[in-house]
Amino acid sequence: MGGSAGSTATIATTHDLRADVLAQLVRLAPVLEHLRAEGLRKRRLTRPRARLLRVLADGGPLVMCDISRALDVTPRAVTGLVDGLEDDGLVRRVDHPSDRRATIIELTPLGRRLCREMREGLNRFADELLAGVTRDDLAASLRVLDRCQAAFETRAD
């Protein structure tokens, strides 16, 4: 008779399920990182430059000190990132309207298009990867991942 759904041999404990979920996340992390790195290479971007573009795409034009805080890097590092992105035509510096000491960094049309293409590519990949997964399962997965993220952040503090 073995193998019925109710047998004790096939019932995983909550402890076992937690360990299985974490193990699966650990296996998926390098695969996702490889795919992300490949996508950035194709666009001739580094991770820090892509992060800066995402901050501008999500938050609009920002002064350098706000970018520094958003990225949690030094103002000097932001200057280097902006210089490279400006050389590639993806961002531009604009004088602040009321503070002569501040410079606003904004996406150029080319930068906005690149950000839009990256977001659309991510959405297409998510649709392809998660096709057939129910809305309820997606919502439950997101809750679990949010909880993991919060736990990681708590451990890092």
Side-chain angles (χ1 to χ4, degrees), residues 65-103:
C65 64
D66 290 339
I67 294 171
S68 174
R69 277 192 292 279
L71 297 178
D72 195 26
V73 298
T74 65
R76 185 178 185 98
V78 171
T79 299
L81 293 171
V82 169
D83 287 347
L85 290 168
E86 190 173 41
D87 289 345
D88 290 341
L90 299 172
V91 302
R92 66 176 154 236
R93 289 173 164 92
V94 178
D95 292 335
H96 193 284
S98 61
D99 184 350
R100 293 185 325 191
R101 297 166 297 158
T103 301

Side-chain angles (χ1 to χ4, degrees), residues 26-134:
V26 169
R27 283 190 294 275
L28 285 174
V31 174
L32 291 172
E33 181 53 36
H34 172 76
L35 291 171
R36 179 170 68 163
E38 185 178 298
L40 292 176
R41 261 193 309 279
K42 286 179 183 176
R43 292 172 175 87
R44 297 181 310 131
L45 287 173
T46 62
R47 283 179 57 190
R49 285 183 182 184
R51 284 183 62 216
L52 192 152
L53 289 173
R54 189 173 57 243
V55 164
L56 291 175
D58 293 343
L62 296 169
V63 294
M64 300 274 270
C65 64
D66 290 339
I67 294 171
S68 174
R69 277 192 292 279
L71 297 178
D72 195 26
V73 298
T74 65
R76 185 178 185 98
V78 171
T79 299
L81 293 171
V82 169
D83 287 347
L85 290 168
E86 190 173 41
D87 289 345
D88 290 341
L90 299 172
V91 302
R92 66 176 154 236
R93 289 173 164 92
V94 178
D95 292 335
H96 193 284
S98 61
D99 184 350
R100 293 185 325 191
R101 297 166 297 158
T103 301
I104 297 173
I105 309 303
E106 66 181 17
L107 293 170
T108 62
L110 180 61
R112 282 192 300 277
R113 186 171 77 228
L114 177 63
C115 289
R116 186 175 54 251
E117 288 170 359
M118 288 192 302
R119 188 169 308 266
E120 289 169 355
L122 179 67
N123 290 341
R124 279 191 308 275
F125 181 61
D127 286 344
E128 175 186 317
L129 185 67
L130 300 169
V133 178
T134 68

